[in-house]
Amino acid sequence: MPTESTPVGAIESSIEIDAPPARVWEVISEVRNAPQWSSQAHKVVALGGRTTAGTRALNINKRGPLFWPTTSRVVEFEPGRRFANRITENTTVWVFELEPTPGGGTRLTERREVPSGLTFISKFLTDKLFGGQPSFTKEMDKGVSTSLKRIKALAEQG
């Protein structure tokens, strides 16, 4: 949950998963899988084979009746540890960090970083279509919690 010391637009949440990091990694590290667990990704078309560092993708996002495209690139890919995807249009970076837990499970943290600040077009569209940045960030924070619960369910199934 964002706090007063959290940069504008930054979001972070964690969950404990009763599955080893290798299993959680299988679920999150393939960008084409995002529609199975993401609160907004409706379809992801990735270029090339399996996801790795540098993989580029076209993402179709959905929020209620609204659909919009974004493009992304995998900027970090450390198998079993860390995965990060940068969204071109707003410069945010979505990061997943996996940590083994003493009982053989995984602590998964999902974070939206905004290292360069949001782009003008992102701020403009958020204000006009999504009710403004504070409201949209709160909604995205709730979406991250939903995504983590879905990832947990998928990882614990397999």
Side-chain angles (χ1 to χ4, degrees):
M1 187 77 165
T3 65
E4 289 184 28
S5 62
T6 303
V8 174
I11 296 167
E12 180 175 318
S13 191
S14 296
I15 196 166
E16 300 286 326
I17 300 174
D18 189 21
R23 172 64 189 136
V24 177
W25 181 256
E26 287 175 20
V27 174
I28 65 154
S29 66
E30 176 56 57
V31 295
R32 292 168 187 88
N33 290 345
Q36 294 178 36
W37 46 261
S38 171
S39 63
Q40 284 191 343
H42 180 69
K43 183 167 180 83
V44 176
V45 178
L47 304 176
R50 287 210 36 92
T51 300
T52 188
T55 295
R56 294 185 181 276
L58 169 64
N59 315 293
I60 305 300
N61 305 291
K62 182 179 187 311
R63 177 186 185 245
L66 296 174
F67 288 86
W68 69 97
T70 57
T71 56
S72 61
R73 184 172 63 87
V74 175
V75 294
E76 292 184 55
F77 193 85
E78 297 177 44
R81 291 195 61 243
R82 188 174 164 96
F83 176 84
N85 204 21
R86 182 182 175 101
I87 308 302
T88 306
E89 291 74 15
N90 63 13
T91 72
T92 60
V93 179
W94 288 91
V95 178
F96 291 90
E97 293 179 330
L98 296 82
E99 299 173 60
T101 60
T106 306
R107 178 176 175 79
L108 177 64
T109 300
E110 182 179 3
R111 178 172 40 262
R112 181 179 86 159
E113 299 176 350
V114 191
S116 304
L118 295 169
T119 60
F120 170 79
I121 190 70
S122 179
K123 289 189 252 183
F124 177 80
L125 291 173
T126 299
D127 287 344
K128 299 300 178 197
L129 298 175
F130 299 128
Q133 195 60 49
S135 170
F136 189 61
T137 297
K138 184 176 180 182
E139 180 182 325
M140 295 294 289
D141 185 55
K142 183 177 178 185
V144 165
S145 294
T146 298
S147 294
L148 289 172
K149 288 174 189 170
R150 290 175 182 165
I151 292 166
K152 175 182 174 69
L154 287 166
E156 290 178 352
Q157 280 178 13

